[in-house]
Amino acid sequence: METPPMDAINLTVFQACPSEVREILHAAVSGAELTFEQGLVLATAEGSALEALVSVADQLRQETVGDAITYVVNRNINFTNICFVGCSFCGFGRGPGAADAYSLSFEEVVSSRV
């Protein structure tokens, strides 16, 4: 299998990784849709496979957006922190009687003060 046609890939790192990972990375660079199993191989990559994945991802980022850094301002209004489930998933929810529990009114949610 040939190396993906990308000039800045660290070829030493790429060639040192397992052939299965090289094939998956080559498919990804070629624009092929990866299977769940291929994605799992990349998601669990370690050692030389992870180094190759990072090198290819960095090159794709460079080709796609260069060195531009952007961000998204995401404004979600949490109109309440009262939770009746009681799980420990988010650490955000409060019981209905908690001292720091709150519920915003409709007017508070749509006002510019929130």
Side-chain angles (χ1 to χ4, degrees), residues 2-3 5 12-13 38 48 81-82 86 99-101 107:
E2 290 184 34
T3 313
T12 304
V13 169
Q38 289 172 317
S48 62
N81 68 345
I82 298 174
D100 57 347
E107 292 75 22

Side-chain angles (χ1 to χ4, degrees), residues 15-102:
Q15 291 169 342
C17 81
S19 62
E20 176 187 27
V21 174
R22 281 197 310 270
E23 290 175 15
I24 295 170
L25 292 174
H26 182 68
V29 169
S30 299
E33 185 172 330
L34 301 183
T35 66
F36 175 83
E37 291 76 18
Q38 289 172 317
L40 187 59
V41 168
L42 295 181
T44 58
E46 296 180 343
S48 62
L50 180 58
E51 289 181 41
L53 172 60
V54 169
S55 181
V56 170
D58 187 51
Q59 179 60 31
L60 289 173
R61 177 212 42 87
Q62 181 66 37
E63 290 176 0
T64 304
V65 298
D67 290 323
I69 299 172
T70 64
Y71 63 94
V72 174
V73 175
N74 188 355
R75 300 193 195 284
N76 294 313
I77 299 173
N78 294 310
F79 56 89
T80 186
N81 68 345
I82 298 174
C83 178
F84 295 95
V85 177
C87 71
S88 59
F89 175 71
C90 71
F92 171 75
R94 301 291 184 261
D100 57 347
Y102 66 84

